[in-house]
Every structure is written in structure tokens, then in C-alpha cells.
Amino acid sequence: MVLLSKLFPQQRSRFFWWVFLLAILPQTIFFSWLWKTPPAAPKQSKQANHPRPPSPPPLHKNLHIAGSGSCLPLMRHLQRQIKSPFVLHPSIGSTGGMRALRDHAIQLALLSRPPKPREKTPTLRFLHYADVPVVFAVHPSVPIRDISPQQMMELYQGRMRRWSNGLPVVVFQREQGDSGHQAIYEHYPLFQKVNEQAYQQQRWRVLYHDREMQDMLNQTPGSIGIFDLGAILLQRLSLRALSFRGVPPTLAAYRAKRYPFSKPLLLAYHTPPHPPILRLLQQITQPDITLSLQKYGYQRLGQKP
């Protein structure tokens, strides 16, 4: 054997080379295949293609109510008058209230405008439980008691800069789309054009909540803004509600259609309503509640849910 290895040295090296290749080649092929093979996709559940049914509205110990700030003074008053407990949240606007109701974050939404077409669905109901007069409210320092259409235009145009007692005129606007402004637009479309120009020219400060309007009117001498009569009377504010063209914003004048400006107050809820919701709606429309609130200027209470 030693003799053969001496005679054939090249054959011996080739023999060991082939042994090495045969030993390493299968492992190389195996790991190469393992590297390139993608991981197996997880098995899909047979129920994955079937959408989940919508979650039912959550039942809380107390009802949660939110929406337009125009409704809050009245709802706080009702909270003291009736025995049904509910949680009343700060203002998020009529649109915000409808979104929260749609997402089942609350059980009742407060609106100070009619529902929009896209907000009406077969599963929602709207209770129009009151109307409230919309007024031009002023700080007690303002000397006028009545406002005419011409004065209304001049004030928002910035042409009337001082009151008769020398105080500068300060106009507070609400955001575009505010329900109080809309109530005046319905009767005076020209006022809408004047108001839009004031927005574009940034002539006056724009406020975004009823409470903000209330506070700014209360603390700013010479100020005027569009507000709700019910909020003034219920909260016993020192603000003065101006008469319009000599007609005061009383319930009698509103019923006789002599005072023109008002807006609706509505409650929105899912149907069929849960017993706590139905009980609250029935209590709100009781005759004794209706009579107790009419002295604050609210009208049309009494519609049944």
C-alpha cells in the first residue's frame, strides 16, 4: 500500500478531495434550501371572512348625555327637577353629540338644530322637546334696550363704533354654522352676507362655545352677541336680552309669532330605547315640567317620545 501511494501521489489527493466534497455537499444544499424557503403562512380562521356584528350600546349605571351647549342650562335645570340620574358632559356641539351617539359613547345626544340628512338613520329617533328664543344679548353697560334691522347690520359691519354713552362697541361672533346665527339668517339673509364679510375680514372675535360667549359678554363692557334667552333667565345672568323692532322676546310674543328668532332643542337616541332612557324622556315631557319651564321662555315642551 505504501508502495502504491508513492507510485500514485496525484490519485491519492484526488481521492481525498472527492471524499471532502461528498461529505459537505448535502449540508450545503440543505441549508441553502432552508434559507430560501419562506415561512408558512398562518392558517386563516374560517370565520375571518365574516364581519363581526355591531356592538350594542353599552349600559351604564347612569345615562350619559352630551352635545350642544345651548341645551346644557335647560338639562341642568331638568336634572334638579326630575329623579332620573344622568351624567351631563360639557359642550361638544350638536355634531359632536351625534358622533358620540353613533359611536355609542353616550346614550342621548343634545341638538340645537334640526338633524342633518346624513345623521338620520333607521335606528335613531329625535325628540323635539323645546324651542328657545334667540336674542341679541348685551352687557349691562350697553345703553340700548331695542335693536332694529338697520342697527343690526351697522353693528356687525363695524360702522357703529360707539354706543350713545361713549363706550366702544364690542361684537362677539360665534363660529360659522352656529345655530343661533342660523336662526337670524332665516329671517334676514342679508345679515348672513354681512356676517360672512366680518368673518373674512376678521373684524370681530369669534367664540366657539355658549359658555365662552356667556363669560365674554358678562365681563366685557360695551359687548353684544347672539345668545339664548333661556340661558339668561335660567342662570339669572346680568345680561340684557334686547327686544327686536320693539317686540320683546317673551313667550307670549313668540307664540303670537311677533318675535321671529328661535331655534329647536332636540334629543337623539337609539331605538328601541332602554328603560332608563324612555323613563327620562317621559319625565321631560310631563305637563308640570312644561309649565315650570315656560317662565324661562321655552316653548313646545310636551311632545311625546
Side-chain angles (χ1 to χ4, degrees), residues 85-144:
F86 57 85
V87 178
L88 192 60
H89 294 273
S91 172
I92 57 175
S94 298
T95 301
M98 289 304 299
R99 289 174 180 168
L101 181 66
R102 180 195 60 198
D103 295 338
H104 302 303
I106 59 175
Q107 290 79 45
L108 285 167
L110 303 171
L111 287 81
S112 57
R113 56 164 174 77
K116 298 176 181 178
R118 67 174 181 271
E119 294 173 336
K120 296 180 180 179
T121 69
T123 62
L124 288 180
R125 293 291 181 272
F126 297 89
L127 173 65
H128 181 179
Y129 65 97
D131 286 340
V132 61
V134 174
V135 299
F136 286 94
V138 296
H139 185 272
S141 61
V142 173
I144 66 172

Side-chain angles (χ1 to χ4, degrees), residues 137-140 213-214 217-218 223 227 232 237-241:
V138 296
H139 185 272
M213 174 66 80
Q214 171 184 317
L217 288 173
N218 263 324
S223 59
F227 201 49
I232 296 175
L237 302 179
S238 60
L239 303 179
R240 185 185 312 117

Side-chain angles (χ1 to χ4, degrees), residues 236-267:
R236 295 180 173 86
L237 302 179
S238 60
L239 303 179
R240 185 185 312 117
L242 301 180
S243 60
F244 185 76
R245 301 182 67 178
V247 179
T250 61
L251 183 59
Y254 174 75
R255 283 175 172 172
K257 297 182 179 180
R258 296 173 55 231
Y259 186 83
F261 309 133
S262 69
K263 61 183 178 182
L265 304 181
L266 298 93
L267 279 167

